Amino acid sequence: MNTVSLMKNKVRVVLEKKELTKVVARVGVVLDISGSMRKLYREGTVQKVVERILAVASLFDDDGALDVWVYDNEFSRLPSVTEKDFVDYVNQKILNDDSIHKFGRNDEPQVMKDVLQKYLKEEPIDSPVFLVFLNDGGCKSGIKKYIVSSSDKPIFWQFIGIGNSNFDVLKKLDTMEGRVVDNANFFHFDDIETVSDEQLYDQLLDEFPNWLKEAKEKHILR
């Protein structure tokens, strides 16, 4: 049994607790690949994050695929990853691909624009989108435009901060005004490697159920 299969059992426990077992959703992950993330890529931490999020996608998504982006001051939309091809995904599809810009500065708004382009224009579907956004600090305030503009769309933004940098922009998500519904959440771990799967999934899926309920009430979701 592979690592993703083992983690899926832990996801199922959380899905049952939060009454999410019947939810069908697209799942995507946006990975910070700015210079300060270099060590976490080299040491395999980002690969482990991809595997942990893939376990959620495998249960939520009807085709079990996890959509993937990376960004620094540029961005790349990568091939989706599944249980069939997740082994060494980060090395093969990111680190060893010279066409992918990496280890520069961070610029979140441009990749957020592409996320919306994919899910709202290129591949619009009735299912909700659960978008996990990994960031190690210094997030640009321009993200507000895209969070507010997508607040009447079927996309929930779940930001995860890692490390001990500045997360002031993300800490203000819960009080961001001008939205139809609260469509974003943020939590932070100093060291995501030391966080248990159970703790990660519990926090990862903490506000998603509330958003689903409110989005249905506002007819954003059917």
Side-chain angles (χ1 to χ4, degrees), residues 96-111:
N96 295 339
D97 188 340
D98 292 336
S99 70
I100 293 177
H101 200 272
K102 51 183 81 79
F103 308 131
R105 305 178 310 278
N106 61 301
D107 186 355
E108 293 79 18
Q110 60 173 348
V111 70

Side-chain angles (χ1 to χ4, degrees), residues 80-98:
S80 297
V81 59
T82 70
E83 283 191 79
K84 296 178 181 179
D85 56 13
F86 74 88
V87 175
D88 209 34
Y89 177 89
V90 168
N91 280 329
Q92 292 181 17
K93 302 299 183 181
I94 302 175
L95 295 181
N96 295 339
D97 188 340
D98 292 336

Side-chain angles (χ1 to χ4, degrees), residues 201-215:
Y201 294 135
D202 190 65
Q203 289 204 234
L204 190 69
L205 298 166
D206 188 45
E207 287 203 15
F208 188 50
N210 294 333
W211 173 79
L212 287 171
K213 182 176 182 293
E214 192 171 357

Side-chain angles (χ1 to χ4, degrees), residues 110-147:
Q110 60 173 348
V111 70
M112 294 176 75
K113 181 179 180 181
D114 193 63
V115 168
L116 296 177
Q117 172 72 22
K118 175 181 175 69
Y119 291 128
L120 301 181
K121 296 180 180 179
E122 296 175 17
E123 303 173 14
I125 57 173
D126 293 332
S127 300
V129 175
F130 183 66
L131 197 288
V132 181
F133 205 113
L134 190 73
N135 171 267
D136 77 336
C139 195
K140 289 195 172 183
S141 59
I143 69 169
K144 179 178 178 179
K145 171 184 175 181
Y146 295 99
I147 293 174

